CSV table of all heavy atoms in Angstrom, one decimal:
chain,number,residue,atom,x,y,z
A,9,ALA,N,-20.8,4.1,13.3
A,9,ALA,CA,-19.5,3.9,14.0
A,9,ALA,C,-18.4,4.3,13.1
A,9,ALA,O,-17.3,4.6,13.6
A,9,ALA,CB,-19.3,2.4,14.4
A,10,GLY,N,-18.5,4.5,11.8
A,10,GLY,CA,-17.5,4.9,10.9
A,10,GLY,C,-16.4,3.8,10.9
A,10,GLY,O,-16.7,2.6,11.1
A,11,ALA,N,-15.2,4.1,10.4
A,11,ALA,CA,-14.2,3.2,10.3
A,11,ALA,C,-13.7,2.6,11.7
A,11,ALA,O,-13.5,3.4,12.6
A,11,ALA,CB,-13.0,3.7,9.5
A,12,SER,N,-13.5,1.4,11.8
A,12,SER,CA,-13.1,0.8,13.1
A,12,SER,C,-11.6,1.1,13.3
A,12,SER,O,-10.8,1.5,12.4
A,12,SER,CB,-13.3,-0.7,13.1
A,12,SER,OG,-12.5,-1.4,12.2
A,13,ARG,N,-11.1,0.9,14.5
A,13,ARG,CA,-9.7,1.1,14.8
A,13,ARG,C,-8.8,0.1,13.9
A,13,ARG,O,-7.8,0.5,13.4
A,13,ARG,CB,-9.4,0.8,16.3
A,13,ARG,CG,-7.9,0.9,16.6
A,13,ARG,CD,-7.8,0.7,18.1
A,13,ARG,NE,-8.4,1.7,19.0
A,13,ARG,CZ,-8.4,1.8,20.2
A,13,ARG,NH1,-7.8,0.9,21.0
A,13,ARG,NH2,-9.1,2.8,20.8
A,14,ALA,N,-9.3,-1.2,13.8
A,14,ALA,CA,-8.6,-2.1,13.0
A,14,ALA,C,-8.4,-1.6,11.5
A,14,ALA,O,-7.4,-1.8,10.9
A,14,ALA,CB,-9.2,-3.5,13.0
A,15,GLN,N,-9.6,-1.1,10.9
A,15,GLN,CA,-9.5,-0.5,9.6
A,15,GLN,C,-8.6,0.7,9.5
A,15,GLN,O,-7.8,0.7,8.5
A,15,GLN,CB,-10.9,-0.1,9.2
A,15,GLN,CG,-11.9,-1.3,9.0
A,15,GLN,CD,-13.3,-0.8,8.7
A,15,GLN,OE1,-13.9,-0.1,9.5
A,15,GLN,NE2,-13.8,-1.2,7.5
A,16,CYS,N,-8.6,1.5,10.4
A,16,CYS,CA,-7.7,2.6,10.4
A,16,CYS,C,-6.2,2.2,10.5
A,16,CYS,O,-5.3,2.7,9.7
A,16,CYS,CB,-7.9,3.6,11.6
A,16,CYS,SG,-9.5,4.4,11.5
A,17,VAL,N,-5.9,1.1,11.4
A,17,VAL,CA,-4.6,0.7,11.5
A,17,VAL,C,-4.2,0.1,10.1
A,17,VAL,O,-3.0,0.2,9.7
A,17,VAL,CB,-4.5,-0.4,12.6
A,17,VAL,CG1,-3.1,-1.1,12.6
A,17,VAL,CG2,-4.6,0.4,14.0
A,18,PHE,N,-5.1,-0.8,9.6
A,18,PHE,CA,-4.7,-1.4,8.3
A,18,PHE,C,-4.4,-0.4,7.3
A,18,PHE,O,-3.4,-0.6,6.4
A,18,PHE,CB,-5.9,-2.3,7.8
A,18,PHE,CG,-5.7,-3.0,6.6
A,18,PHE,CD1,-5.0,-4.2,6.4
A,18,PHE,CD2,-6.3,-2.5,5.4
A,18,PHE,CE1,-4.7,-4.8,5.2
A,18,PHE,CE2,-6.0,-3.1,4.2
A,18,PHE,CZ,-5.3,-4.2,4.0
A,19,ALA,N,-5.2,0.6,7.1
A,19,ALA,CA,-5.0,1.6,6.1
A,19,ALA,C,-3.7,2.4,6.3
A,19,ALA,O,-3.0,2.6,5.3
A,19,ALA,CB,-6.2,2.7,6.2
A,20,THR,N,-3.3,2.7,7.6
A,20,THR,CA,-2.1,3.4,7.9
A,20,THR,C,-0.9,2.5,7.5
A,20,THR,O,0.0,3.0,6.9
A,20,THR,CB,-2.1,3.7,9.4
A,20,THR,OG1,-3.2,4.5,9.7
A,20,THR,CG2,-0.8,4.5,9.7
A,21,VAL,N,-1.0,1.2,7.9
A,21,VAL,CA,0.1,0.3,7.6
A,21,VAL,C,0.3,0.2,6.1
A,21,VAL,O,1.3,0.2,5.6
A,21,VAL,CB,-0.2,-1.0,8.2
A,21,VAL,CG1,0.9,-2.1,7.7
A,21,VAL,CG2,-0.1,-0.9,9.8
A,22,ALA,N,-0.9,0.1,5.4
A,22,ALA,CA,-0.8,-0.1,3.9
A,22,ALA,C,-0.2,1.1,3.3
A,22,ALA,O,0.7,1.0,2.4
A,22,ALA,CB,-2.2,-0.4,3.3
A,23,VAL,N,-0.6,2.2,3.7
A,23,VAL,CA,0.0,3.5,3.1
A,23,VAL,C,1.4,3.6,3.4
A,23,VAL,O,2.3,3.9,2.6
A,23,VAL,CB,-0.8,4.7,3.6
A,23,VAL,CG1,-0.1,6.0,3.2
A,23,VAL,CG2,-2.2,4.7,3.1
A,24,GLY,N,1.8,3.2,4.7
A,24,GLY,CA,3.2,3.3,5.1
A,24,GLY,C,4.0,2.3,4.3
A,24,GLY,O,5.2,2.6,3.9
A,25,ALA,N,3.5,1.1,4.1
A,25,ALA,CA,4.3,0.1,3.4
A,25,ALA,C,4.5,0.5,1.9
A,25,ALA,O,5.5,0.3,1.3
A,25,ALA,CB,3.5,-1.3,3.5
A,26,ALA,N,3.4,1.1,1.3
A,26,ALA,CA,3.4,1.5,-0.1
A,26,ALA,C,4.5,2.6,-0.1
A,26,ALA,O,5.3,2.6,-1.1
A,26,ALA,CB,2.1,1.9,-0.5
A,27,SER,N,4.5,3.5,0.8
A,27,SER,CA,5.4,4.7,0.7
A,27,SER,C,6.9,4.2,0.9
A,27,SER,O,7.8,4.6,0.1
A,27,SER,CB,5.2,5.7,1.9
A,27,SER,OG,3.8,6.2,1.7
A,28,PHE,N,7.1,3.2,1.7
A,28,PHE,CA,8.4,2.7,1.9
A,28,PHE,C,8.9,1.9,0.7
A,28,PHE,O,10.0,2.0,0.2
A,28,PHE,CB,8.4,1.7,3.2
A,28,PHE,CG,9.7,1.0,3.4
A,28,PHE,CD1,10.8,1.6,4.1
A,28,PHE,CD2,9.9,-0.3,3.0
A,28,PHE,CE1,12.0,1.0,4.3
A,28,PHE,CE2,11.2,-1.0,3.2
A,28,PHE,CZ,12.2,-0.3,3.8
A,29,ALA,N,7.9,1.2,0.1
A,29,ALA,CA,8.3,0.4,-1.2
A,29,ALA,C,8.7,1.3,-2.3
A,29,ALA,O,9.6,1.1,-3.0
A,29,ALA,CB,7.1,-0.5,-1.5
A,30,PHE,N,7.9,2.4,-2.4
A,30,PHE,CA,8.2,3.4,-3.4
A,30,PHE,C,9.6,4.1,-3.2
A,30,PHE,O,10.3,4.4,-4.1
A,30,PHE,CB,7.1,4.5,-3.5
A,30,PHE,CG,6.0,4.1,-4.5
A,30,PHE,CD1,4.7,3.8,-3.9
A,30,PHE,CD2,6.2,4.3,-5.8
A,30,PHE,CE1,3.7,3.5,-4.8
A,30,PHE,CE2,5.1,3.9,-6.7
A,30,PHE,CZ,3.9,3.5,-6.1
A,31,GLY,N,9.9,4.3,-1.9
A,31,GLY,CA,11.2,4.8,-1.6
A,31,GLY,C,12.3,4.0,-1.9
A,31,GLY,O,13.4,4.4,-2.3
A,32,MET,N,12.2,2.7,-1.7
A,32,MET,CA,13.2,1.7,-1.9
A,32,MET,C,13.4,1.2,-3.3
A,32,MET,O,14.5,1.1,-3.9
A,32,MET,CB,13.0,0.4,-0.9
A,32,MET,CG,13.0,0.8,0.6
A,32,MET,SD,14.6,1.5,1.1
A,32,MET,CE,15.7,0.0,0.8
A,33,ALA,N,12.2,0.9,-4.0
A,33,ALA,CA,12.2,0.4,-5.3
A,33,ALA,C,11.0,0.9,-6.0
A,33,ALA,O,10.0,0.2,-6.1
A,33,ALA,CB,12.3,-1.2,-5.3
A,34,PRO,N,11.0,2.1,-6.5
A,34,PRO,CA,9.8,2.7,-7.1
A,34,PRO,C,9.2,2.0,-8.3
A,34,PRO,O,8.1,1.9,-8.4
A,34,PRO,CB,10.3,4.1,-7.4
A,34,PRO,CG,11.7,4.1,-7.5
A,34,PRO,CD,12.2,3.0,-6.5
A,35,ILE,N,10.1,1.5,-9.1
A,35,ILE,CA,9.6,0.8,-10.4
A,35,ILE,C,8.9,-0.5,-9.9
A,35,ILE,O,7.8,-0.8,-10.4
A,35,ILE,CB,10.8,0.5,-11.3
A,35,ILE,CG1,11.4,1.9,-11.7
A,35,ILE,CG2,10.2,-0.2,-12.6
A,35,ILE,CD1,10.5,2.8,-12.4
A,36,THR,N,9.4,-1.3,-9.2
A,36,THR,CA,8.9,-2.5,-8.7
A,36,THR,C,7.6,-2.3,-7.9
A,36,THR,O,6.6,-3.0,-8.1
A,36,THR,CB,9.9,-3.3,-7.8
A,36,THR,OG1,11.1,-3.5,-8.5
A,36,THR,CG2,9.3,-4.6,-7.4
A,37,ALA,N,7.6,-1.3,-7.1
A,37,ALA,CA,6.4,-1.0,-6.3
A,37,ALA,C,5.2,-0.6,-7.2
A,37,ALA,O,4.1,-1.0,-7.0
A,37,ALA,CB,6.7,0.1,-5.3
A,38,LEU,N,5.5,0.2,-8.2
A,38,LEU,CA,4.5,0.7,-9.1
A,38,LEU,C,4.0,-0.5,-9.9
A,38,LEU,O,2.8,-0.6,-10.1
A,38,LEU,CB,5.2,1.7,-10.0
A,38,LEU,CG,4.1,2.4,-11.0
A,38,LEU,CD1,2.9,3.1,-10.3
A,38,LEU,CD2,4.9,3.3,-12.0
A,39,THR,N,4.8,-1.4,-10.3
A,39,THR,CA,4.5,-2.5,-11.1
A,39,THR,C,3.5,-3.5,-10.3
A,39,THR,O,2.5,-3.9,-10.8
A,39,THR,CB,5.7,-3.3,-11.6
A,39,THR,OG1,6.6,-2.5,-12.4
A,39,THR,CG2,5.3,-4.6,-12.3
A,40,VAL,N,4.0,-3.8,-9.0
A,40,VAL,CA,3.1,-4.6,-8.2
A,40,VAL,C,1.7,-4.0,-8.0
A,40,VAL,O,0.7,-4.7,-8.1
A,40,VAL,CB,3.8,-4.9,-6.9
A,40,VAL,CG1,2.9,-5.6,-5.9
A,40,VAL,CG2,5.1,-5.7,-7.1
A,41,ILE,N,1.7,-2.7,-7.6
A,41,ILE,CA,0.4,-2.1,-7.3
A,41,ILE,C,-0.4,-2.0,-8.6
A,41,ILE,O,-1.6,-2.3,-8.6
A,41,ILE,CB,0.6,-0.6,-6.8
A,41,ILE,CG1,1.3,-0.7,-5.4
A,41,ILE,CG2,-0.7,0.1,-6.8
A,41,ILE,CD1,1.6,0.6,-4.8
A,42,SER,N,0.2,-1.7,-9.7
A,42,SER,CA,-0.5,-1.7,-11.0
A,42,SER,C,-1.1,-3.0,-11.4
A,42,SER,O,-2.2,-3.1,-11.9
A,42,SER,CB,0.4,-1.2,-12.1
A,42,SER,OG,-0.1,-1.2,-13.4
A,43,LEU,N,-0.3,-4.1,-11.3
A,43,LEU,CA,-0.8,-5.4,-11.5
A,43,LEU,C,-2.0,-5.8,-10.6
A,43,LEU,O,-2.9,-6.4,-11.1
A,43,LEU,CB,0.4,-6.5,-11.4
A,43,LEU,CG,1.4,-6.6,-12.5
A,43,LEU,CD1,2.5,-7.5,-12.1
A,43,LEU,CD2,0.7,-7.0,-13.8
A,44,SER,N,-1.9,-5.5,-9.4
A,44,SER,CA,-2.9,-5.9,-8.4
A,44,SER,C,-4.3,-5.1,-8.8
A,44,SER,O,-5.3,-5.7,-8.8
A,44,SER,CB,-2.5,-5.5,-7.0
A,44,SER,OG,-1.4,-6.2,-6.6
A,45,MET,N,-4.1,-3.8,-9.0
A,45,MET,CA,-5.3,-3.0,-9.3
A,45,MET,C,-5.9,-3.4,-10.6
A,45,MET,O,-7.1,-3.5,-10.7
A,45,MET,CB,-5.0,-1.5,-9.3
A,45,MET,CG,-4.5,-1.0,-8.0
A,45,MET,SD,-5.7,-1.2,-6.6
A,45,MET,CE,-7.0,-0.2,-7.2
A,46,THR,N,-5.0,-3.7,-11.6
A,46,THR,CA,-5.6,-4.1,-12.9
A,46,THR,C,-6.3,-5.4,-12.8
A,46,THR,O,-7.4,-5.6,-13.4
A,46,THR,CB,-4.5,-4.2,-14.0
A,46,THR,OG1,-3.7,-3.0,-13.9
A,46,THR,CG2,-4.9,-4.6,-15.3
A,47,CYS,N,-5.8,-6.4,-12.0
A,47,CYS,CA,-6.5,-7.6,-11.8
A,47,CYS,C,-7.9,-7.5,-11.2
A,47,CYS,O,-8.8,-8.0,-11.6
A,47,CYS,CB,-5.7,-8.6,-11.0
A,47,CYS,SG,-4.2,-9.3,-11.8
C-alpha cells in the first residue's frame, strides 16, 4: 500500500512547519531540530 494518506499529510505538515519556522526564526528552529535529532 505504500505510505498512507495520513502519513503523507503528516510529512507535508512537518516539512511545511519546519520551513515556516526556519523562515521566521532560523537559529531557534535549527536548535530545536538539532536537539530533537541528537536525543
